[in-house]
Amino acid sequence: MKKGTKLMLLEDDQEPFDLIGICSGLSDYRLAWNLNKAFGWAFEHSDTTLKIPNKKSGTVLEFSFYQQLGLEDYTNLYLVKNKQQGKPLLEDLPQLDYVLIIKNNLVLDLDELVGLLRQHEQIIAAYRYDSSAFSISEYLQFEETYE
C-alpha cells in the first residue's frame, strides 16, 4: 500500500486585497474629490487613522486617509497619502504619492480601473500591486464603521 502524504493547511486570517499606487501632484482632498467626480465614488475623510508600527524606531506612525465603504456591493476603497509626517507608508515604493487600497472587491475590474486612472488628466501614473508584496500588508487594517 502506498504511503499517503500529509498536507498542512495554514489558515490565513488576513484577507487579500488589491493595491494601486498613484502618482499625482494634487493634494489628498483634491485627488479624493477628483476621483469622486470621475468615478461616481463617495470618498470621505475618516476620523480614525491608520496605525503602522515602525520597526526601526519602535514608534507607531499614524496615517490619515479617505474612505468609501461599499454599503451595497461591499467593496471598500481607501485612499492614503504615501508620505505623511515625513515617513512613507510603503517604504518599498517611496516614489508613489498615493495608495488606493481596494478590499472586498466584487465589482471593479482592476485592469480597466488602472487604465482609466492613467487616462485621468490629474494623474501622472498608476500601477497595480499585490498586497502580499509589502511587508506592512498585515497592518493595512481599517476600522470599518458603517453609518
Side-chain angles (χ1 to χ4, degrees), residues 18-23 90 93 95-100 102 110-111 113-115 117-118 123-130 134:
D18 298 298
L19 195 135
I20 297 175
I22 298 174
C23 296
L90 300 177
L93 296 166
Q95 68 273 22
L96 295 177
D97 296 316
Y98 296 94
V99 179
L100 178 63
I102 305 164
L110 294 178
D111 293 328
L113 178 59
V114 168
L117 287 169
R118 288 177 179 167
I123 294 176
I124 299 165
Y127 304 99
R128 183 177 171 186
Y129 299 98
D130 186 39
F134 301 101

Side-chain angles (χ1 to χ4, degrees), residues 4-15:
T5 58
K6 290 184 181 180
L7 296 176
M8 183 182 254
L9 296 176
L10 299 175
E11 189 173 328
D12 188 9
D13 59 348
Q14 180 183 344
E15 293 288 324

Side-chain angles (χ1 to χ4, degrees), residues 26 29 40 60:
L26 294 176
Y29 67 91
V60 175

Side-chain angles (χ1 to χ4, degrees), residues 69-118:
L69 301 178
L71 299 176
E72 296 160 7
D73 61 9
Y74 302 108
T75 302
N76 297 328
L77 303 172
Y78 304 94
L79 181 66
V80 185
K81 189 172 184 177
N82 193 29
K83 294 177 189 161
Q84 294 185 34
Q85 303 171 3
K87 303 285 183 184
L89 175 66
L90 300 177
E91 292 181 354
D92 305 333
L93 296 166
Q95 68 273 22
L96 295 177
D97 296 316
Y98 296 94
V99 179
L100 178 63
I101 299 167
I102 305 164
K103 292 194 172 192
N104 305 325
N105 184 15
L106 301 174
V107 295
L108 295 174
D109 179 350
L110 294 178
D111 293 328
E112 181 181 343
L113 178 59
V114 168
L116 292 171
L117 287 169
R118 288 177 179 167

Side-chain angles (χ1 to χ4, degrees), residues 25-64:
L26 294 176
S27 59
D28 56 354
Y29 67 91
R30 290 293 293 169
L31 181 60
W33 182 83
N34 271 287
L35 293 175
N36 286 346
K37 187 177 169 187
F39 297 105
W41 293 341
F43 274 118
E44 295 179 356
H45 191 266
S46 175
D47 295 334
T48 61
T49 58
L50 178 63
K51 294 174 177 45
I52 307 290
N54 187 336
K55 294 177 184 176
K56 294 177 184 173
S57 66
T59 61
V60 175
L61 302 173
E62 294 189 30
F63 292 87
S64 64

